[in-house]
Amino acid sequence: MDWRAEVARPFYLATGHTPLGLRRRRHIAGRGREVTALHDEILDLTDTERTGHEGSDADAVLLAALDAARTGRMHDIVRTIQAEQDRIIRSTHRGVLVVEGGPGTGKTAVALHRAAYLLYAHRELLAKRGVLIVGPGPAFLGYIGGVLPALGETGVLLATPGELFPGVHATGTDRPGAAAVKGRAGMAEVLARVVADRQCLPETVPAGTGEEYDTVPEPALEIDHDGYGTLFLDRTMAHGARDRARATGLPHNQARPSFAFPIIDALTAQLADRLGADPYGGPNLLGPDDVAQLGKEIAMSPAVHAAIDALWPSLTPQQLLTDFLAEPTHLPPHEAGLIRRAPSARPDWTPADVPLLDEAAELLGEDDTARRAAEERAWARRVAYAQGVLDLAQGSESYEFEDEENEFLTVHDVVNAEQLAERHEESDHRSTAQRAAADRTWAFGHVIVDEAQELSEMAWRVLMRRCPTRSMTLVGDPAQTAEEAGCGSWERILSPYVGERWELVRLGVNYRTPAEIMEVAAAVLRELDPGFRPPSSVRSTGVRPWARAAGDPAGALARAVEAERPAEGRLAVIAPRPLHAGLAAVLPGVREGAEPDLAQDVVLLDPRQAKGLEFDTVIVVEPADFQPSDLYVALTRATQSLGVLHSPGRLPAGLHGLGPDGSV
């Protein structure tokens, strides 16, 4: 049966105290099609039947799964779902559910299985709208990418925060402090003012009054209209058109026609007054048809269009943001200096730029007049073609008895040209995830965010636009907040959007990190917060972490990797990014600067890349170069053993108790 079905739920919740009608819980282990082990947990203590597969340790299956060597890819946890996890996975909460837990508590696995459960329980809605899963980086998405397909679900879009704007893949890096400035909620208002600045009024006073003006002119744009002399788009004319366009409440590009039409009408009236003026003071000599013809000429004039573009240009989000970053306005000088960036034809966008691009797209909108006109022309061509087909079909019918009443239906009686064109219109065969990835305005049925504490206020504006129903599962750990722009506090993240209409649940059991390693990692944060309480580890390996001083980090690392490399499983080296080039040279199969392949036996990462990942063995290099939250992340990635390499005299206070061989 499907593990998500309600009838399967007792398998995960039953205990000896509350068996829920079960006699025993059987776990079957296998390799391929071969059964390698059976394990029975007795739940009905009155049941005297014995099969020889009963185990005295009720957690044996769980512990075996936790001790298994890592493969570089996350697997489903269906066979080891714990009761606290099951309650979260099947939660009926329809709004925002926040799952908080320290390292190794299974937050990510719970979130992915909740996605699978929701797709099962609300198939009709979510299959149509899809589910968006946002993870901290490409390595993480590669790590979790096989979980949902293994659970039978493929209608899910996985993306990093830097991939949430179609057509942009943010690979650039911000200077220190820049991401924090870009991530503030106030940037939305700054960009709104930047757009308003592009809705200009004329600033240039015409060179001379000429015959066109009988008073001193106000600032105006001079428009050389072929054959008719110079027209003047003055400040009063532009101000009235701008007020009218802004009053529509439409985004900038969509409001542009409301600015252009009054300008064209005013210039037409100006030209009509000039050409049709009666020298004796009588009424205008031009008739309505003449004025209409002048209006058409004005509307088609390249010079008029250039003048309108100068005052109300059609803009793209990329163009607007490139111009803004080249000269940041409406910001204090020190903040402007942090984000200022020289313009480029092919900008190297950063993840912090993506929410700004999305905000710009909201403010600008898309002037779809040309697109709709093209679609109408294409539709007219399809209808005309369909009509031709129908006419040919009609012409092929027998008219032997055309003078007699024909009792048979003809093709025209069955279908008309519009219906035939609709039937043969090309279908969109892309999956839900593919269509959602290409559509910035797509509204997802549910959104899951991993490491949610790291996202900026501007990034949350993007995600809330992607999910108007506010159906979300957020997982994270405020203690691991590392990004300068990260919100950290759940209340700070959610209050602007849902008030108090959200639910917080906590996972307190660490399934990944052995107690010996967790004790060391917790000591790092206790240096800042003596009251810090880490999640409780369910297992102990008896192997304490070690720390060794090394004058030659690369050489010491090569020796440590050779000694610590597990026979099965994966080893991760977590080091500051500036050291990667030198360290990669001594690591087998590792290329510096490349996105890590987690299927390799040895991988090299920095702490931000390591978020959400796990390895059998971890070696942390130069921990003094990490901020506390990053070091906490690095130290809690190991499932079996942990080592630390550091320069002499450069060991953080929380690690001082470690010996070179794991001794205290």
Side-chain angles (χ1 to χ4, degrees):
M1 64 183 69
D2 195 306
W3 66 274
R4 297 168 290 188
E6 188 62 26
V7 70
R9 193 172 190 188
F11 181 86
Y12 304 103
L13 297 182
T15 65
H17 184 268
T18 311
L20 300 177
L22 302 188
R23 290 193 304 117
R24 67 182 57 213
R25 176 164 39 219
R26 169 165 290 173
H27 298 270
I28 305 175
R31 183 180 293 108
R33 296 183 60 84
E34 178 188 359
V35 174
T36 58
L38 294 178
H39 182 275
D40 283 358
E41 296 176 53
I42 302 300
L43 297 172
D44 181 358
L45 301 181
T46 65
D47 182 8
T48 59
E49 180 186 352
R50 292 295 178 264
T51 64
H53 299 292
E54 293 80 10
S56 58
D57 186 355
D59 293 324
V61 175
L62 172 63
L63 294 175
L66 298 179
D67 283 330
R70 269 42 189 176
T71 65
R73 296 290 181 266
M74 178 181 276
H75 298 291
D76 70 75
I77 60 167
V78 169
R79 68 191 179 106
T80 60
I81 291 174
Q82 302 300 294
E84 67 168 354
Q85 297 172 330
D86 186 81
R87 282 189 284 271
I88 296 171
I89 290 169
R90 299 173 192 265
S91 171
T92 58
H93 185 73
R94 300 296 296 271
V96 178
L97 179 66
V98 178
V99 183
E100 180 182 307
T105 53
K107 303 183 298 297
T108 300
V110 167
L112 294 174
H113 287 69
R114 177 163 171 76
Y117 173 76
L118 292 173
L119 284 162
Y120 172 85
H122 307 287
R123 175 74 59 190
E124 185 175 349
L125 170 64
L126 295 186
K128 185 182 301 181
R129 301 311 310 166
V131 173
L132 170 65
I133 298 180
V134 180
F140 175 82
L141 295 183
Y143 176 65
I144 69 171
V147 175
L148 285 167
L151 295 173
E153 300 297 347
T154 57
V156 177
L157 174 64
L158 280 71
T160 68
E163 297 170 338
L164 293 177
F165 192 86
V168 169
H169 185 67
T171 57
T173 303
D174 276 307
R175 293 184 294 175
V181 173
K182 294 177 181 179
R184 288 191 296 103
M187 286 301 298
E189 178 60 29
V190 169
L191 290 178
R193 294 166 69 183
V194 169
V195 172
D197 289 345
R198 303 300 292 268
Q199 300 165 359
C200 308
L201 297 176
E203 299 291 343
T204 304
V205 176
T209 58
E211 297 179 356
E212 295 86 356
Y213 280 94
D214 54 10
T215 60
V216 176
E218 60 178 311
L221 292 181
E222 299 183 26
I223 303 172
D224 184 13
H225 189 52
D226 292 342
Y228 297 106
T230 302
L231 297 175
F232 294 93
L233 199 172
D234 61 41
R235 195 176 183 87
T236 298
M237 188 189 304
H239 201 293
R242 185 176 72 174
D243 287 348
R244 177 173 171 178
R246 288 179 172 177
T248 64
L250 295 172
H252 174 88
N253 288 332
Q254 293 176 12
R256 189 172 183 270
S258 297
F259 176 82
F261 292 146
I263 297 296
I264 291 171
D265 290 344
L267 292 175
T268 300
Q270 184 182 130
L271 183 58
D273 287 344
R274 181 187 304 170
L275 297 179
D278 184 348
Y280 301 105
N284 195 295
L285 300 178
L286 299 179
D289 292 342
D290 299 320
V291 175
Q293 182 58 38
L294 291 177
K296 292 180 181 178
E297 295 178 9
I298 292 289
M300 297 176 63
S301 167
V304 171
H305 281 280
I308 292 173
D309 285 340
L311 300 181
W312 195 293
S314 180
L315 299 167
T316 66
Q318 291 89 335
Q319 178 185 357
L320 182 77
L321 189 58
T322 296
D323 294 346
F324 168 69
L325 294 177
E327 191 52 53
T329 55
H330 307 295
L331 287 174
H334 70 282
E335 292 187 355
L338 288 173
I339 68 171
R340 184 175 284 109
R341 187 168 70 206
S344 170
R346 300 182 64 182
D348 193 11
W349 299 113
T350 72
D353 291 331
V354 168
L356 302 185
L357 287 169
D358 198 78
E359 191 72 29
E362 284 291 304
L363 294 167
L364 294 175
E366 179 185 358
D367 183 1
D368 59 354
T369 305
R371 178 180 60 80
R372 286 190 286 107
E375 289 175 351
E376 290 173 1
R377 290 193 296 271
W379 171 248
R381 287 194 297 270
R382 286 199 298 271
V383 171
Y385 180 81
Q387 186 63 56
V389 171
L390 292 176
D391 292 344
L392 286 173
Q394 182 75 21
S396 66
E397 295 175 1
S398 172
Y399 290 94
E400 183 178 352
F401 306 106
E402 63 181 13
D403 293 333
E404 301 178 12
E405 185 177 353
N406 189 353
E407 297 181 357
F408 296 97
L409 291 174
T410 69
V411 66
H412 284 286
D413 296 316
V414 177
V415 65
N416 59 34
E418 286 80 5
Q419 292 169 329
L420 185 60
E422 286 178 355
R423 291 183 182 183
H424 290 275
E425 189 172 358
E426 291 187 6
S427 300
D428 189 343
H429 298 291
R430 294 175 299 170
S431 68
T432 298
Q434 290 171 326
R435 287 183 284 122
D439 185 354
R440 192 193 68 81
T441 63
W442 188 274
F444 289 91
H446 192 77
V447 171
I448 292 175
V449 185
D450 205 304
E451 303 294 348
Q453 76 281 350
E454 301 288 7
L455 298 191
S456 70
E457 293 171 319
M458 288 299 294
W460 282 110
R461 289 177 65 87
V462 177
L463 291 178
M464 293 299 173
R465 280 195 281 266
R466 298 294 192 275
C467 190
T469 61
R470 306 294 191 259
S471 177
M472 295 182 166
T473 301
L474 314 181
V475 298
D477 179 13
Q480 297 184 59
T481 304
E483 297 291 343
E484 291 182 87
C487 292
S489 161
W490 303 124
E491 184 176 1
R492 183 181 172 194
I493 291 170
L494 297 171
S495 292
Y497 303 101
V498 297
E500 298 181 356
R501 300 186 305 279
W502 55 280
E503 181 179 338
L504 173 65
V505 294
R506 290 184 173 88
L507 293 170
V509 179
N510 187 332
Y511 298 100
R512 175 207 304 145
T513 316
E516 294 84 355
I517 296 177
M518 201 64 225
E519 178 185 344
V520 172
V524 170
L525 290 190
R526 286 199 184 104
E527 289 293 319
L528 300 176
D529 178 10
F532 173 72
R533 297 181 61 184
S536 301
S537 296
V538 299
R539 64 196 178 101
S540 173
T541 61
V543 179
R544 281 190 54 79
W546 52 261
R548 298 168 190 161
D552 174 19
L557 177 63
R559 293 188 294 273
V561 168
E562 181 65 25
E564 301 289 335
R565 192 169 178 174
E568 289 186 275
R570 301 293 180 269
L571 182 149
V573 176
I574 303 178
R577 181 57 69 108
L579 300 183
H580 279 205
L583 299 180
V586 302
L587 296 176
V590 172
R591 290 190 300 111
E592 191 273 330
E595 196 63 41
D597 179 1
L598 301 180
Q600 295 292 321
D601 292 342
V602 178
V603 295
L604 175 64
L605 312 104
D606 63 37
R608 307 291 172 90
Q609 290 176 309
K611 274 185 173 292
L613 307 181
E614 61 183 20
F615 306 89
D616 298 88
T617 299
V618 170
I619 298 176
V620 177
V621 181
E622 296 294 11
D625 290 345
F626 299 154
Q627 59 175 281
S629 60
D630 282 342
L631 180 54
Y632 182 61
V633 169
L635 296 172
T636 54
R637 300 304 98 192
T639 65
Q640 300 296 334
S641 61
L642 169 70
V644 176
L645 290 174
H646 62 94
S647 298
R650 298 191 71 239
L651 189 65
L655 303 180
H656 281 172
L658 299 182
D661 56 358
S663 60
V664 178

